[in-house]
mmCIF file with all atom_site columns, all heavy atoms in Angstrom:
data_model
loop_
_atom_site.group_PDB
_atom_site.id
_atom_site.type_symbol
_atom_site.label_atom_id
_atom_site.label_alt_id
_atom_site.label_comp_id
_atom_site.label_asym_id
_atom_site.label_entity_id
_atom_site.label_seq_id
_atom_site.pdbx_PDB_ins_code
_atom_site.Cartn_x
_atom_site.Cartn_y
_atom_site.Cartn_z
_atom_site.occupancy
_atom_site.B_iso_or_equiv
_atom_site.pdbx_formal_charge
_atom_site.auth_seq_id
_atom_site.auth_comp_id
_atom_site.auth_asym_id
_atom_site.auth_atom_id
_atom_site.pdbx_PDB_model_num
ATOM 1  N N   . ARG E 1 92  ? -13.005 51.836 -6.245  1.00 0.00 ? 92  ARG E N   1
ATOM 2  C CA  . ARG E 1 92  ? -12.171 51.038 -7.160  1.00 0.00 ? 92  ARG E CA  1
ATOM 3  C C   . ARG E 1 92  ? -11.380 49.998 -6.396  1.00 0.00 ? 92  ARG E C   1
ATOM 4  O O   . ARG E 1 92  ? -11.248 48.838 -6.826  1.00 0.00 ? 92  ARG E O   1
ATOM 5  C CB  . ARG E 1 92  ? -11.218 51.968 -7.939  1.00 0.00 ? 92  ARG E CB  1
ATOM 6  C CG  . ARG E 1 92  ? -11.927 52.796 -9.009  1.00 0.00 ? 92  ARG E CG  1
ATOM 7  C CD  . ARG E 1 92  ? -10.960 53.638 -9.822  1.00 0.00 ? 92  ARG E CD  1
ATOM 8  N NE  . ARG E 1 92  ? -11.620 54.382 -10.868 1.00 0.00 ? 92  ARG E NE  1
ATOM 9  C CZ  . ARG E 1 92  ? -11.900 53.902 -12.084 1.00 0.00 ? 92  ARG E CZ  1
ATOM 10 N NH1 . ARG E 1 92  ? -11.571 52.668 -12.392 1.00 0.00 ? 92  ARG E NH1 1
ATOM 11 N NH2 . ARG E 1 92  ? -12.508 54.643 -12.989 1.00 0.00 ? 92  ARG E NH2 1
ATOM 12 N N   . PHE E 1 93  ? -10.817 50.387 -5.270  1.00 0.00 ? 93  PHE E N   1
ATOM 13 C CA  . PHE E 1 93  ? -10.080 49.434 -4.433  1.00 0.00 ? 93  PHE E CA  1
ATOM 14 C C   . PHE E 1 93  ? -10.982 48.282 -4.005  1.00 0.00 ? 93  PHE E C   1
ATOM 15 O O   . PHE E 1 93  ? -10.608 47.124 -4.108  1.00 0.00 ? 93  PHE E O   1
ATOM 16 C CB  . PHE E 1 93  ? -9.509  50.122 -3.192  1.00 0.00 ? 93  PHE E CB  1
ATOM 17 C CG  . PHE E 1 93  ? -9.080  49.152 -2.142  1.00 0.00 ? 93  PHE E CG  1
ATOM 18 C CD1 . PHE E 1 93  ? -7.868  48.478 -2.221  1.00 0.00 ? 93  PHE E CD1 1
ATOM 19 C CD2 . PHE E 1 93  ? -9.917  48.864 -1.046  1.00 0.00 ? 93  PHE E CD2 1
ATOM 20 C CE1 . PHE E 1 93  ? -7.482  47.582 -1.247  1.00 0.00 ? 93  PHE E CE1 1
ATOM 21 C CE2 . PHE E 1 93  ? -9.536  47.973 -0.062  1.00 0.00 ? 93  PHE E CE2 1
ATOM 22 C CZ  . PHE E 1 93  ? -8.311  47.302 -0.181  1.00 0.00 ? 93  PHE E CZ  1
ATOM 23 N N   . HIS E 1 94  ? -12.160 48.607 -3.555  1.00 0.00 ? 94  HIS E N   1
ATOM 24 C CA  . HIS E 1 94  ? -13.071 47.575 -3.026  1.00 0.00 ? 94  HIS E CA  1
ATOM 25 C C   . HIS E 1 94  ? -13.403 46.524 -4.119  1.00 0.00 ? 94  HIS E C   1
ATOM 26 O O   . HIS E 1 94  ? -13.289 45.329 -3.882  1.00 0.00 ? 94  HIS E O   1
ATOM 27 C CB  . HIS E 1 94  ? -14.372 48.210 -2.531  1.00 0.00 ? 94  HIS E CB  1
ATOM 28 C CG  . HIS E 1 94  ? -15.305 47.248 -1.874  1.00 0.00 ? 94  HIS E CG  1
ATOM 29 N ND1 . HIS E 1 94  ? -15.370 47.085 -0.510  1.00 0.00 ? 94  HIS E ND1 1
ATOM 30 C CD2 . HIS E 1 94  ? -16.191 46.365 -2.384  1.00 0.00 ? 94  HIS E CD2 1
ATOM 31 C CE1 . HIS E 1 94  ? -16.269 46.152 -0.194  1.00 0.00 ? 94  HIS E CE1 1
ATOM 32 N NE2 . HIS E 1 94  ? -16.789 45.710 -1.332  1.00 0.00 ? 94  HIS E NE2 1
ATOM 33 N N   . ILE E 1 95  ? -13.725 47.001 -5.289  1.00 0.00 ? 95  ILE E N   1
ATOM 34 C CA  . ILE E 1 95  ? -14.092 46.096 -6.365  1.00 0.00 ? 95  ILE E CA  1
ATOM 35 C C   . ILE E 1 95  ? -12.876 45.263 -6.793  1.00 0.00 ? 95  ILE E C   1
ATOM 36 O O   . ILE E 1 95  ? -12.966 44.042 -6.940  1.00 0.00 ? 95  ILE E O   1
ATOM 37 C CB  . ILE E 1 95  ? -14.672 46.861 -7.566  1.00 0.00 ? 95  ILE E CB  1
ATOM 38 C CG1 . ILE E 1 95  ? -16.042 47.403 -7.199  1.00 0.00 ? 95  ILE E CG1 1
ATOM 39 C CG2 . ILE E 1 95  ? -14.783 45.969 -8.799  1.00 0.00 ? 95  ILE E CG2 1
ATOM 40 C CD1 . ILE E 1 95  ? -16.709 48.227 -8.282  1.00 0.00 ? 95  ILE E CD1 1
ATOM 41 N N   . ARG E 1 96  ? -11.729 45.932 -6.945  1.00 0.00 ? 96  ARG E N   1
ATOM 42 C CA  . ARG E 1 96  ? -10.514 45.247 -7.336  1.00 0.00 ? 96  ARG E CA  1
ATOM 43 C C   . ARG E 1 96  ? -10.144 44.162 -6.334  1.00 0.00 ? 96  ARG E C   1
ATOM 44 O O   . ARG E 1 96  ? -9.916  43.005 -6.710  1.00 0.00 ? 96  ARG E O   1
ATOM 45 C CB  . ARG E 1 96  ? -9.377  46.277 -7.494  1.00 0.00 ? 96  ARG E CB  1
ATOM 46 C CG  . ARG E 1 96  ? -8.077  45.724 -8.026  1.00 0.00 ? 96  ARG E CG  1
ATOM 47 C CD  . ARG E 1 96  ? -7.106  46.842 -8.471  1.00 0.00 ? 96  ARG E CD  1
ATOM 48 N NE  . ARG E 1 96  ? -7.472  48.165 -7.970  1.00 0.00 ? 96  ARG E NE  1
ATOM 49 C CZ  . ARG E 1 96  ? -6.937  48.745 -6.878  1.00 0.00 ? 96  ARG E CZ  1
ATOM 50 N NH1 . ARG E 1 96  ? -6.048  48.100 -6.152  1.00 0.00 ? 96  ARG E NH1 1
ATOM 51 N NH2 . ARG E 1 96  ? -7.292  49.961 -6.545  1.00 0.00 ? 96  ARG E NH2 1
ATOM 52 N N   . PHE E 1 97  ? -10.118 44.568 -5.071  1.00 0.00 ? 97  PHE E N   1
ATOM 53 C CA  . PHE E 1 97  ? -9.695  43.599 -4.024  1.00 0.00 ? 97  PHE E CA  1
ATOM 54 C C   . PHE E 1 97  ? -10.671 42.410 -3.943  1.00 0.00 ? 97  PHE E C   1
ATOM 55 O O   . PHE E 1 97  ? -10.268 41.268 -3.858  1.00 0.00 ? 97  PHE E O   1
ATOM 56 C CB  . PHE E 1 97  ? -9.651  44.324 -2.657  1.00 0.00 ? 97  PHE E CB  1
ATOM 57 C CG  . PHE E 1 97  ? -9.104  43.484 -1.528  1.00 0.00 ? 97  PHE E CG  1
ATOM 58 C CD1 . PHE E 1 97  ? -7.747  43.512 -1.252  1.00 0.00 ? 97  PHE E CD1 1
ATOM 59 C CD2 . PHE E 1 97  ? -9.937  42.666 -0.762  1.00 0.00 ? 97  PHE E CD2 1
ATOM 60 C CE1 . PHE E 1 97  ? -7.215  42.750 -0.208  1.00 0.00 ? 97  PHE E CE1 1
ATOM 61 C CE2 . PHE E 1 97  ? -9.413  41.902 0.256   1.00 0.00 ? 97  PHE E CE2 1
ATOM 62 C CZ  . PHE E 1 97  ? -8.062  41.928 0.544   1.00 0.00 ? 97  PHE E CZ  1
ATOM 63 N N   . HIS E 1 98  ? -11.955 42.696 -4.027  1.00 0.00 ? 98  HIS E N   1
ATOM 64 C CA  . HIS E 1 98  ? -12.952 41.645 -3.845  1.00 0.00 ? 98  HIS E CA  1
ATOM 65 C C   . HIS E 1 98  ? -13.025 40.709 -5.059  1.00 0.00 ? 98  HIS E C   1
ATOM 66 O O   . HIS E 1 98  ? -13.191 39.500 -4.909  1.00 0.00 ? 98  HIS E O   1
ATOM 67 C CB  . HIS E 1 98  ? -14.311 42.245 -3.515  1.00 0.00 ? 98  HIS E CB  1
ATOM 68 C CG  . HIS E 1 98  ? -14.419 42.692 -2.102  1.00 0.00 ? 98  HIS E CG  1
ATOM 69 N ND1 . HIS E 1 98  ? -13.675 43.749 -1.597  1.00 0.00 ? 98  HIS E ND1 1
ATOM 70 C CD2 . HIS E 1 98  ? -15.136 42.238 -1.044  1.00 0.00 ? 98  HIS E CD2 1
ATOM 71 C CE1 . HIS E 1 98  ? -13.951 43.911 -0.313  1.00 0.00 ? 98  HIS E CE1 1
ATOM 72 N NE2 . HIS E 1 98  ? -14.833 43.011 0.054   1.00 0.00 ? 98  HIS E NE2 1
ATOM 73 N N   . LEU E 1 99  ? -12.886 41.279 -6.251  1.00 0.00 ? 99  LEU E N   1
ATOM 74 C CA  . LEU E 1 99  ? -12.912 40.426 -7.443  1.00 0.00 ? 99  LEU E CA  1
ATOM 75 C C   . LEU E 1 99  ? -11.677 39.519 -7.528  1.00 0.00 ? 99  LEU E C   1
ATOM 76 O O   . LEU E 1 99  ? -11.716 38.477 -8.171  1.00 0.00 ? 99  LEU E O   1
ATOM 77 C CB  . LEU E 1 99  ? -13.037 41.255 -8.721  1.00 0.00 ? 99  LEU E CB  1
ATOM 78 C CG  . LEU E 1 99  ? -14.429 41.800 -9.053  1.00 0.00 ? 99  LEU E CG  1
ATOM 79 C CD1 . LEU E 1 99  ? -14.403 42.477 -10.417 1.00 0.00 ? 99  LEU E CD1 1
ATOM 80 C CD2 . LEU E 1 99  ? -15.476 40.684 -9.053  1.00 0.00 ? 99  LEU E CD2 1
ATOM 81 N N   . ALA E 1 100 ? -10.619 39.932 -6.845  1.00 0.00 ? 100 ALA E N   1
ATOM 82 C CA  . ALA E 1 100 ? -9.368  39.155 -6.912  1.00 0.00 ? 100 ALA E CA  1
ATOM 83 C C   . ALA E 1 100 ? -9.400  37.923 -6.042  1.00 0.00 ? 100 ALA E C   1
ATOM 84 O O   . ALA E 1 100 ? -8.567  37.029 -6.184  1.00 0.00 ? 100 ALA E O   1
ATOM 85 C CB  . ALA E 1 100 ? -8.190  40.020 -6.537  1.00 0.00 ? 100 ALA E CB  1
#
Side-chain angles (χ1 to χ4, degrees):
Chain E
R92 287 183 178 275
F93 164 79
H94 186 97
I95 290 179
R96 184 166 16 97
F97 186 91
H98 283 67
L99 282 186

